[in-house]
Amino acid sequence: MNEPVLARLQHLMTLREEVETLTGTGPWIPSADWADADTHLILYLDVPGVNPDTLELLEEDGTVTVAGQRDETHRLLRGERPAGTFRRTLTFPEDVLAQTGQASLASGVLCVRFEKKHPTINVQSSDAPDDHD
């Protein structure tokens, strides 16, 4: 498949997941953010209450898939927090070097750093003269 078709397919899958989450009929989908850190891309995924032993990461073909499980609370009087398993596939916003993801989990946020294929370089000009005489 070509890239535009894959991108549209990924968009449709994401929309389906969001609709299922809104209706409460499907799996829950944790919120995610991508951040630019010059030489790295960082994925932040909200996974409070998820058992760290259930978290899985799979990187392939320009995407990363994160899966895990949050146990259901028994004997609920009212329930608003989704539970069960989740699987979320996200497309990298920039090219990364394959298999460079490094994950950490703190305060219910999964943070995965990926090394960029083409790092952002901040060039600062200097008005100082060269001392190469």
Side-chain angles (χ1 to χ4, degrees), residues 16-26:
R16 190 198 98 226
E17 290 171 351
E18 289 173 0
V19 168
E20 287 176 346
T21 300
L22 290 172
T23 61
T25 61

Side-chain angles (χ1 to χ4, degrees), residues 81-102:
R81 300 178 322 125
T85 59
F86 74 88
R87 177 172 302 279
R88 177 116 195 237
T89 301
L90 300 135
T91 303
F92 290 107
E94 295 183 34
D95 291 336
V96 298
L97 294 175
Q99 306 305 313
T100 59
Q102 296 181 343

Side-chain angles (χ1 to χ4, degrees), residues 21-67:
T21 300
L22 290 172
T23 61
T25 61
W28 69 284
I29 307 298
S31 298
D33 292 329
W34 284 105
D36 185 333
D38 297 329
T39 59
H40 291 80
L41 285 178
I42 303 173
L43 171 63
Y44 296 102
L45 197 73
D46 291 342
V47 291
V50 170
N51 181 346
D53 294 335
T54 68
L55 286 171
E56 298 175 12
L57 286 167
L58 175 63
E59 178 189 334
E60 64 182 358
D61 299 328
T63 65
V64 60
T65 299
V66 184

